[in-house]
C-alpha cells in the first residue's frame, strides 16, 4: 500500500515537473487571456440578464441572483464535465498507439507498463493536475463574483460540509459516467472520432442540467430527462446550500447518492470488460 | 539441435502463439459510430472478428549471458515477441518462462519480470515522454523520475554515447541520430538482467553504431543477456552467440551464428571473385562452386581451401587477362538473405 502510494506521488511529482517545465508558457501566455475571457463571459451574462428585464424577476422567482446562479453552475460544471470526458481522453491517449513506425506500435500504456507503472497511476496523475488547473479557474470565478457581483456564499461549517459532500457525490457519479465512456471506447476498439456516451452527456448537460438557467424553465419532458444527469442534482443542491442556505433536511440527495453508487459500478465493470477485450485484441490493429 | 548447456535458463518459450483480432468493417471511415454499427451488424449476422497470428508455434531457449540476434522480414513478429518477453503483451497459447516463472501467471511475477527486463525501443518509439522544448539533461532527469530510473546512470550513458556536449541543448534542436542516442541513454539507465533491443540503432550514424557496439560488448562482459532485433545484422554479428530467425510469425532457425552460416553456406564461407578483360573462361573450370556472369566469376570455397585455390587460379591465368581478383569472406547478411530466399 505504502509502495503504491509512493509510486503515485512519484508519478504526480514527475508529471507536475513536466507540466511546469514544458507548459509554463500556459501560465505566462494562455492563462491571462483565459482570465480576461472569463470576465468578459460573466459580463456578457450580466448584460443579457439586464436586457431581459434585470435580475429582480429572476431573484423573485428563484430566490437567487442570476449571476450568482450562473457562477456556481459554471464552476461545478467545469469539474463535472471534465470527469465525463477526461477519463475517455486520457484512456484514448494511453491506449492509442500513436508512436508508431511501420508495423511497430508502442502505446503510452505499454511504455509505462515496461516500468511497472499501471495505467491508473497515469490516469490519476493527469486528472490531479487538471483538477489543479480547474481549481485555479474556480477561484478566479469566485473572486470575480465576490468583487464584481457581490457573491456571498453560505460558508457556515455545516453548509460547507454539506456542499463538499454534494460536490463529492457529483464527482463520483460523473467519474462513473467517464468510466462507462472509456469502457465503451476500449471495448469497441476504434481510436478515431467521438465517443457517443460522453458526447451525449456533455451535450445534454449544457442544455438541460441547469448550468445556465433553472431546469424549471424547460419543457416537462426535458425536465424528466434532466433527472438522469448527476449534473442536475449536484447543481441544484449546491445552489440551495451555498446561495440559499438550505440544510440537509430540505435537500433531495437521494437520486445523486444512487447515481454515485450505480454509475461507478457500471463504469468499473464496463471498463474492466473493455480492458479485457483490448488486451485480447492486442495492439497490432 | 543440442542446446549449449551453460548458465541458467533466462527465457524458455514453448509453442508460443499470439493472435490478434481484426474487426471487418462494412466500408466507410473507421470511426466510433461506424464501428458500433459494424459491431451490431456483425453480432446480428453472427459474424465475428477475423483472427490473424503474429506468432505461430515459436519455441526457443535463451540462457544466461547469451546474446541472441533476432532477424526477420517486416511483419515477422519480432516486436510482438519482444513485447511478450518484456511483460507488456500476453501470449495467446503455449508456455513461457522468464527467470523460471511465467510472467503472465500472476501480478507478482509480471512485476518481477518487468523489473528485471528492459525493452529498449528505437528512436521513433522511445521519445514518448520527451519534450522538444526542454534540454537533453532536463528531459532525461524528468523522465527518469517518472519511470523510476537512476538519473546518474542515465547521465553516465549519455556520456558513453558522446552526448556530453549536448546536455544543455534543446532536444528539438538535435538531429535524429543524437535524439536516438538520448533515447538509448534513457532506457539503458534501467539496470536489467535481460535486455531486449528493438532496432535501437535506427537513425544512428556509423560512429554512433560503433559506440553502441562498444556498449553491447560492455554488456557482454558484465554477463547480461541480450535479445536484439534488427534488420542490419552484419556489423554486430560477431558480438552475438545465437541467431533466431522469424518469418510470418514462425521460427525458421534458432542456433549459433556459426551453425547458421555453416548451414547456409555448407562450408563455403569464402568467395573468390575474378573479373577478366574478355571472355577467357578456362579459369571457370577450376575447383570450387563457380558462378559465372559475363566476364565475372565467383568461386565459393571454404576459407581453408581459399589460399590453394587462389594460387591455382593465378598460375593458370595468362598475364594481361585479369582485371581484378578479390577474396571476400561471405557475410552473415548474405547468409540471411540466401536462407530467407530458400525458406520463403
Amino acid at each position: 500500500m505504502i509502495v503504491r502510494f509512493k509510486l503515485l506521488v512519484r508519478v504526480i511529482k514527475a508529471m507536475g515537473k513536466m507540466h511546469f517545465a514544458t507548459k509554463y508558457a500556459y501560465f505566462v501566455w494562455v492563462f491571462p487571456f483565459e482570465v480576461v475571457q472569463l470576465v468578459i463571459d460573466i459580463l456578457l451574462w450580466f448584460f443579457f440578464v439586464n436586457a431581459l428585464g434585470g435580475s429582480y424577476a429572476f431573484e423573485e422567482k428563484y430566490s437567487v441572483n442570476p449571476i450568482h446562479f450562473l457562477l456556481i453552475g459554471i464552476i461545478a460544471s467545469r469539474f463535472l464535465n471534465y470527469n465525463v470526458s477526461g477519463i475517455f481522453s486520457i484512456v484514448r491517449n494511453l491506449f492509442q498507439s500513436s508512436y508508431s513506425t511501420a508495423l511497430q506500435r508502442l502505446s503510452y500504456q505499454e511504455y509505462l507498463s515496461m516500468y511497472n507503472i499501471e495505467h491508473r497511476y497515469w490516469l490519476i496523475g493527469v486528472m490531479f493536475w487538471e483538477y489543479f488547473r480547474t481549481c485555479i479557474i474556480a477561484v478566479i470565478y469566485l473572486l470575480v463574483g465576490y468583487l464584481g457581483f457581490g457573491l456571498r456564499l453560505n460558508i457556515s461549517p455545516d453548509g460547507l460540509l454539506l456542499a463538499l459532500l454534494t460536490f463529492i457525490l457529483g464527482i463520483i457519479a460523473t467519474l462513473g459516467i467517464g468510466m462507462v465512456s472509456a469502457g465503451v471506447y476500449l471495448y469497441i476498439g476504434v481510436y478515431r472520432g467521438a465517443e457517443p456516451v460522453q458526447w451525449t452527456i456533455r451535450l445534454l448537460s449544457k442544455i438541460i442540467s441547469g448550468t445556465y438557467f433553472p431546469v424549471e424553465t424547460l419543457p416537462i419532458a426535458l425536465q424528466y430527462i434532466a433527472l438522469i444527469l448527476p449534473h442536475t442534482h449536484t447543481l441544484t443542491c449546491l445552489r440551495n446550500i451555498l446561495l440559499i442556505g438550505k440544510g440537509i433536511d430540505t435537500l433531495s440527495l437521494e437520486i445523486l447518492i444512487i447515481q454515485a453508487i450505480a454509475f461507478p459500478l457500471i463504469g468499473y465493470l464496463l471498463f474492466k470488460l473493455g480492458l479485457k477485450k483490448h488486451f485480447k485484441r492486442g495492439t497490432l490493429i | 539441435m543440442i542446446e549449449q548447456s551453460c548458465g541458467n535458463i533466462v527465457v524458455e518459450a514453448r509453442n508460443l502463439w499470439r493472435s490478434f483480432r481484426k474487426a471487418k468493417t462494412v466500408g466507410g471511415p473507421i470511426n466510433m459510430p461506424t464501428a458500433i454499427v459494424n459491431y451490431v451488424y456483425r453480432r446480428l449476422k453472427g459474424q465475428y472478428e477475423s483472427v490473424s497470428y503474429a506468432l505461430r508455434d515459436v519455441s526457443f531457449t535463451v540462457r544466461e549471458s547469451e546474446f541472441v540476434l533476432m532477424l526477420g522480414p517486416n511483419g515477422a513478429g519480432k516486436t510482438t515477441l519482444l513485447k511478450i518477453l518484456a511483460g507488456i503483451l500476453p501470449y495467446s497459447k503455449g508456455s513461457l518462462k522468464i527467470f523460471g516463472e511465467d510472467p503472465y501467471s500472476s501480478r507478482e511475477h509480471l512485476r518481477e519480470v518487468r523489473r528485471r527486463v528492459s525493452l529498449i525501443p528505437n528512436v521513433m518509439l522511445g521519445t514518448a515522454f520527451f519534450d522538444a522544448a526542454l534540454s537533453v539533461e532536463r528531459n532525461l532527469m524528468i523522465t527518469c523520475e517518472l519511470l523510476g530510473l537512476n538519473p546518474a546512470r542515465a547521465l553516465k550513458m549519455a556520456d558513453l554515447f558522446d552526448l556530453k556536449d549536448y546536455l544543455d541543448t534543446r532536444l528539438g534542436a538535435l538531429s535524429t541520430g543524437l535524439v536516438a542516442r538520448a533515447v538509448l541513454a534513457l532506457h539503458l539507465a534501467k539496470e536489467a538482467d535481460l535486455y531486449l533491443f528493438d532496432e535501437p540503432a535506427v537513425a544512428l550514424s556509423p560512429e554512433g553504431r560503433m559506440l553502441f557496439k562498444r556498449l553491447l560488448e560492455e554488456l557482454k562482459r558484465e554477463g547480461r543477456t541480450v535479445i536484439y532485433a534488427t534488420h542490419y545484422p552484419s556489423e554486430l554479428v560477431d558480438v552475438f552467440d545465437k541467431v533466431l530467425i522469424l518469418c510470418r510469425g514462425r521460427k525458421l532457425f534458432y542456433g549459433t551464428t556459426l551453425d547458421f552460416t555453416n548451414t547456409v553456406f555448407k562450408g563455403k564461407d569464402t568467395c573468390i571473385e575474378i573479373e577478366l578483360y574478355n571472355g577467357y573462361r578456362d579459369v571457370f573450370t577450376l575447383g570450387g562452386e563457380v558462378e559465372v556472369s559475363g566476364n565475372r566469376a565467383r568461386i565459393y570455397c571454404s576459407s581453408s581451401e581459399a589460399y590453394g585455390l587462389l594460387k591455382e587460379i593465378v598460375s593458370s591465368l595468362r598475364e594481361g587477362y585479369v582485371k581484378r581478383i578479390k577474396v571476400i569472406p561471405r557475410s552473415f547478411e548474405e547468409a540471411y538473405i540466401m536462407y530467407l530466399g530458400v525458406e520463403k
Side-chain angles (χ1 to χ4, degrees):
Chain A
M1 190 72 182
I2 295 166
V3 176
R4 283 181 193 174
F5 182 71
K6 276 186 178 171
L7 175 62
L8 180 65
V9 171
R10 192 188 83 205
V11 170
I12 290 176
K13 225 171 107 183
M15 286 176 90
K17 281 188 185 173
M18 269 184 193
H19 273 289
F20 286 104
T22 61
K23 294 178 182 170
Y24 67 94
Y26 168 81
F27 289 101
V28 177
W29 191 241
V30 182
F31 189 64
F33 291 94
E34 264 193 10
V35 173
V36 173
Q37 180 73 46
L38 184 151
V39 175
I40 298 288
D41 283 348
I42 298 172
L43 280 175
L44 198 68
W45 281 101
F46 176 72
F47 293 127
F48 268 137
V49 170
N50 281 344
L52 295 169
S55 61
Y56 182 73
F58 190 95
E59 264 190 79
E60 196 174 53
K61 198 167 178 186
Y62 302 106
S63 324
V64 66
N65 178 293
I67 297 296
H68 300 171
F69 177 94
L70 188 73
L71 280 170
I72 297 296
I74 290 173
I75 293 169
S77 290
R78 266 192 176 247
F79 284 97
L80 302 177
N81 280 331
Y82 174 67
N83 288 343
V84 170
S85 59
I87 299 182
F88 158 70
S89 58
I90 299 166
V91 165
R92 185 178 58 184
N93 291 340
L94 259 173
F95 288 86
Q96 189 178 354
S97 310
S98 52
Y99 292 87
S100 60
T101 54
L103 291 170
Q104 297 183 13
R105 286 173 168 85
L106 199 64
S107 65
Y108 272 113
Q109 180 269 329
E110 288 174 320
Y111 208 121
L112 291 166
S113 297
M114 284 178 354
Y115 293 91
N116 268 328
I117 302 169
E118 287 171 44
H119 53 266
R120 60 179 168 204
Y121 295 106
W122 182 260
L123 192 86
I124 295 170
V126 175
M127 292 193 82
F128 177 88
W129 288 108
E130 192 52 39
Y131 273 20
F132 175 78
R133 202 176 79 87
T134 313
C135 282
I136 294 176
I137 290 174
V139 169
I140 293 165
Y141 267 119
L142 290 173
L143 271 176
V144 172
Y146 181 81
L147 298 172
F149 301 95
L151 175 69
R152 299 291 180 270
L153 301 175
N154 166 29
I155 48 166
S156 66
D158 282 356
L160 270 184
L161 200 68
L162 204 54
L164 195 66
L165 175 76
T166 310
F167 185 64
I168 290 170
L169 285 173
I171 291 281
I172 294 170
T174 45
L175 277 175
I177 296 175
M179 284 181 79
V180 170
S181 164
V184 169
Y185 166 77
L186 283 173
Y187 192 83
I188 300 293
V190 171
Y191 304 98
R192 273 174 253 179
E195 189 287 307
V197 175
Q198 60 98 15
W199 183 85
T200 312
I201 298 289
R202 276 180 70 100
L203 187 80
L204 285 177
S205 76
K206 270 184 191 164
I207 311 167
I208 61 172
S209 72
T211 307
Y212 303 103
F213 44 82
V215 179
E216 291 80 5
T217 55
L218 292 166
I220 195 80
L222 287 181
Q223 285 188 40
Y224 279 114
I225 297 172
L227 292 176
I228 303 165
L229 300 175
H231 301 62
T232 315
H233 309 289
T234 312
L235 295 178
T236 310
C237 289
L238 278 178
R239 282 176 183 133
N240 284 340
I241 299 160
L242 293 171
L243 299 177
I244 303 171
K246 281 188 181 175
I248 193 153
D249 49 326
T250 54
L251 297 173
S252 50
L253 280 169
E254 300 85 355
I255 299 176
L256 190 59
I257 292 169
I258 293 168
Q259 287 177 336
I261 296 167
F263 288 154
L265 201 68
I266 300 166
Y268 176 76
L269 293 173
L270 264 173
F271 192 75
K272 275 207 96 165
L273 194 70
L275 268 182
K276 203 173 155 190
K277 178 89 175 172
H278 172 84
F279 287 120
K280 200 172 173 188
R281 190 190 298 121
T283 46
L284 204 68
I285 47 173
Chain B
M1 184 172 295
I2 300 161
E3 300 276 354
Q4 283 179 328
S5 54
C6 56
N8 297 326
I9 292 175
V10 174
V11 178
E12 191 179 11
R14 290 281 165 264
N15 314 103
L16 216 57
W17 289 72
R18 172 67 220 197
S19 62
F20 290 97
R21 281 162 183 249
K22 286 191 285 189
K24 282 180 185 162
T25 51
V26 192
I30 306 164
N31 53 39
M32 195 60 97
T34 45
I36 293 169
V37 169
N38 271 296
Y39 181 78
V40 174
Y41 175 80
R42 279 201 314 274
R43 286 275 154 176
L44 290 174
K45 297 263 292 183
Q47 295 173 345
Y48 297 94
E49 295 148 309
S50 67
V51 176
S52 65
Y53 293 94
L55 289 179
R56 296 157 188 259
D57 208 16
V58 173
S59 302
F60 64 98
T61 305
V62 180
R63 289 177 184 278
E64 207 171 61
S65 310
E66 271 183 348
F67 270 46
V68 177
L69 191 61
M70 185 154 62
L71 301 171
N74 293 329
K78 301 187 293 294
T79 300
T80 302
L81 182 57
L82 290 180
K83 279 183 179 182
I84 291 171
L85 297 180
I88 58 173
L89 184 70
Y91 56 89
S92 311
K93 259 197 295 183
S95 77
L96 174 69
K97 280 188 178 171
I98 301 176
F99 304 115
E101 300 286 355
D102 181 348
Y104 300 100
S105 62
S106 75
R107 217 169 250 245
E108 285 68 36
H109 289 152
L110 193 61
R111 280 208 194 102
E112 181 60 12
V113 163
R114 284 172 178 171
R115 195 182 61 73
R116 294 182 68 183
V117 177
S118 179
L119 172 64
I120 291 111
N122 65 43
V123 61
M124 274 74 118
L125 301 168
T127 52
F129 297 106
F130 280 174
D131 194 289
L134 295 180
S135 70
V136 174
E137 190 175 1
R138 193 99 175 94
N139 267 309
L140 287 177
M141 294 299 101
I142 292 176
T143 319
C144 276
E145 186 174 348
L146 175 73
L147 303 176
L149 300 172
N150 181 358
R153 193 172 151 86
L155 287 178
K156 193 183 145 199
M157 286 294 158
D159 195 19
L160 199 121
F161 281 107
D162 249 354
L163 274 176
K164 209 157 70 177
D165 297 337
Y166 299 98
L167 286 177
D168 294 332
T169 312
R170 244 176 2 99
L171 194 82
L174 296 185
S175 67
T176 316
L178 289 170
V179 175
R181 292 187 197 194
V183 168
L184 286 171
L186 171 74
H187 290 282
L188 286 163
K190 181 176 176 181
E191 279 196 84
D193 297 317
L194 170 63
Y195 285 98
L196 308 167
F197 290 93
D198 194 0
E199 298 183 49
V202 169
L204 284 183
S205 59
E207 70 273 20
R209 289 205 292 274
M210 194 189 70
L211 290 169
F212 186 67
K213 193 177 175 184
R214 263 190 229 158
L215 173 103
L216 285 176
E217 285 162 353
E218 180 65 31
L219 290 177
K220 202 172 177 85
R221 268 194 295 276
E222 287 175 9
R224 316 273 183 178
T225 312
V226 167
I227 301 178
Y228 187 105
T230 184
H231 288 294
Y232 310 100
S234 279
E235 55 196 34
L236 293 167
V237 74
D238 49 324
V239 188
F240 287 88
D241 309 302
K242 285 185 170 177
V243 59
L244 170 65
I245 299 178
L246 297 175
C247 185
R248 290 177 191 166
R250 288 189 192 281
K251 181 187 83 177
L252 294 187
F253 183 91
Y254 184 55
T256 63
T257 47
L258 197 65
D259 274 347
F260 178 66
T261 45
N262 282 342
T263 306
V264 179
F265 295 140
K266 296 185 177 73
K268 299 184 188 315
D269 57 355
T270 306
C271 169
I272 302 172
E273 194 179 281
I274 312 158
E275 204 178 334
L276 303 174
Y277 280 111
N278 59 32
Y280 184 76
R281 300 169 81 96
D282 288 359
V283 68
F284 304 144
T285 58
L286 289 168
E289 190 184 313
V290 184
E291 200 180 276
V292 183
S293 159
N295 288 350
R296 190 176 294 180
R298 281 189 173 148
I299 302 170
Y300 299 109
C301 57
S302 68
S303 51
S304 55
E305 290 169 347
Y307 181 69
L309 202 58
L310 192 65
K311 263 174 52 177
E312 207 179 324
I313 291 165
V314 170
S315 64
S316 72
L317 288 171
R318 276 197 242 160
E319 207 177 314
Y321 276 78
V322 181
K323 196 173 179 184
R324 191 181 296 126
I325 297 182
K326 278 197 285 187
V327 180
I328 317 158
R330 297 174 82 180
S331 72
F332 186 85
E333 206 156 318
E334 189 185 341
Y336 167 60
I337 290 164
M338 276 175 70
Y339 186 78
L340 214 59
V342 172
E343 288 299 322
K344 266 184 174 176

